[in-house]
Amino acid sequence: MSKNIVLIGFMGTGKSAIAKRLASFLQWKSYDIDTIIEQEQSANIPEIFATLGEERFREIETEIISRLSHRTGVIISTGGGAPTIAENMLALKRNGIIVRLTASSETILKRAGDLKSRPMLANTPDPLARIKELLNEREPHYSKADITIDTDGKSLKEVIMMIVKAVEQT
Ligand code: S3P
């Protein structure tokens, strides 16, 4: 049985882009939880937050993670808040190696782009302070990962090679 490779980490750490490139490198399938939520709800993430609220979004996220975590030999890319729900991490760990991607708060803010598409960062006067606050809050959850890889100043290719090497040694 091949374990899944599960990417976790804050927004803007490159999870979705790296999952796609890693999938094509390993010739594995990849699943992006946010994309599946958007497809199944026929709405984008800010719309889902606006109409259903964060709590309902988290329930949908947990249900999809539970479904996908039964697979083996796939890459799963999660939304930044998913690890804060203990049930999600337990499900993902069962069949998966958890790889946490990190970046500095400043890099995260730069990569976040238009904050309207980021409900957890929208409507705040100081997005950098909000990023730091959320990173602090989430640290105990993110630190449950098996592997941590810092993406600051690295190319996608470099990060992918680091993940492949670290997973092989696990
Ligand atoms: C969230 C991160 C987003 C998305 C939603 C909530 C969070 O995913 O799931 O906006 O709570 O950090 P990305 O990390 O893929 O941007």
Side-chain angles (χ1 to χ4, degrees):
M1 179 197 94
S2 224
K3 281 204 154 192
N4 298 325
I5 298 177
V6 180
L7 300 183
I8 68 164
F10 204 76
M11 291 169 242
T13 51
K15 298 172 304 251
S16 302
I18 287 164
K20 276 192 200 139
R21 291 278 292 267
L22 187 61
S24 78
F25 180 81
L26 294 173
Q27 295 288 296
W28 287 18
K29 278 194 171 176
S30 84
Y31 296 92
D32 186 284
I33 304 290
D34 279 348
T35 305
I36 298 173
I37 296 173
E38 292 184 326
Q39 283 164 352
E40 294 192 1
Q41 295 296 313
S42 305
N44 64 34
I45 301 284
E47 285 165 353
I48 298 168
F49 267 72
T51 54
L52 303 179
E54 183 183 353
E55 205 177 317
R56 180 68 195 125
F57 171 82
R58 297 288 170 211
E59 285 170 7
I60 298 168
E61 184 177 50
T62 294
E63 191 268 311
I64 293 170
I65 287 175
S66 153
R67 225 193 294 155
L68 268 182
S69 61
H70 288 94
R71 305 237 175 170
T72 52
V74 300
I75 295 162
I76 300 173
S77 155
T78 58
T84 63
I85 313 271
E87 188 184 336
N88 294 342
M89 284 296 267
L90 280 174
L92 291 165
K93 266 188 177 252
R94 217 179 303 124
N95 288 341
I97 299 171
I98 313 283
V99 180
R100 169 203 188 173
L101 300 179
T102 62
S104 70
S105 311
E106 289 73 16
T107 301
I108 287 170
L109 182 60
K110 249 186 256 156
R111 291 183 189 160
D114 181 4
L115 296 184
K116 283 196 212 84
S117 66
R118 310 277 188 180
M120 297 301 291
L121 300 179
N123 308 318
T124 166
D126 188 346
L128 187 61
R130 178 78 179 128
I131 290 169
K132 289 182 176 166
E133 181 186 52
L134 281 170
L135 278 172
N136 265 336
E137 256 174 53
R138 293 177 175 182
E139 181 56 29
H141 307 286
Y142 289 150
S143 65
K144 295 200 172 91
D146 301 299
I147 294 164
T148 295
I149 293 185
D150 183 30
T151 64
D152 255 313
K154 297 196 185 79
S155 68
L156 285 182
K157 200 173 166 193
E158 283 172 309
V159 174
I160 284 158
M161 287 313 165
M162 288 174 79
I163 295 175
V164 170
K165 211 170 151 195
V167 166
E168 275 170 5
Q169 288 167 355
T170 308

